[in-house]
Amino acid sequence: MAVSTTVSKRIKRRAPRAFLRRTFKQKKPHLRLETDCDLLIHLNCLLFVHRLAEESRINACESKSRVITNDHILAAAKVILKKSRG
């Protein structure tokens, strides 16, 4: 057999900086942002999604469900947003 040509490589994913900057300029043109603030916002979004996935997985396990449903995600979002408010 021939060696498979679809070898999984570690792909370096970069933040969509141009998209984030363009969105900020369209939504809030009066804001003056530092050069690296788009990276911090992107990191914050990734951390939120990671916490949301963990919390919804916990909710699914507690309800003895193998599949994460919309209800699990909404319940997890409420908990995470309450924690982030302070």
Side-chain angles (χ1 to χ4, degrees):
M1 280 191 131
V3 177
S4 176
T5 58
T6 58
V7 177
S8 62
K9 292 183 180 180
R10 185 170 177 102
I11 299 172
K12 293 184 181 180
R13 301 285 312 235
R14 296 188 333 197
R17 297 186 78 170
F19 171 75
L20 290 172
R21 287 180 185 159
R22 185 174 56 244
T23 305
F24 294 150
K25 290 288 184 187
Q26 288 174 354
K27 301 291 182 183
K28 303 279 185 176
H30 60 280
L31 288 180
R32 294 180 62 193
L33 303 173
E34 285 190 30
T35 56
D36 292 339
C37 87
D38 54 351
L39 292 175
L40 293 174
I41 293 171
H42 182 39
L43 177 64
N44 195 14
C45 289
L46 290 177
L47 290 174
F48 174 76
V49 169
H50 189 267
R51 274 187 256 148
L52 183 66
E54 285 181 0
E55 191 72 27
S56 59
R57 182 183 57 82
I58 291 170
N59 288 345
C61 289
E62 287 175 354
S63 65
K64 295 182 174 80
S65 174
R66 288 185 164 189
V67 179
I68 297 173
T69 63
N70 193 15
D71 297 332
H72 299 136
I73 294 172
L74 289 176
K78 288 180 184 177
V79 170
I80 292 171
L81 290 174
K82 277 187 182 178
K83 286 181 183 177
S84 65
R85 283 188 198 133

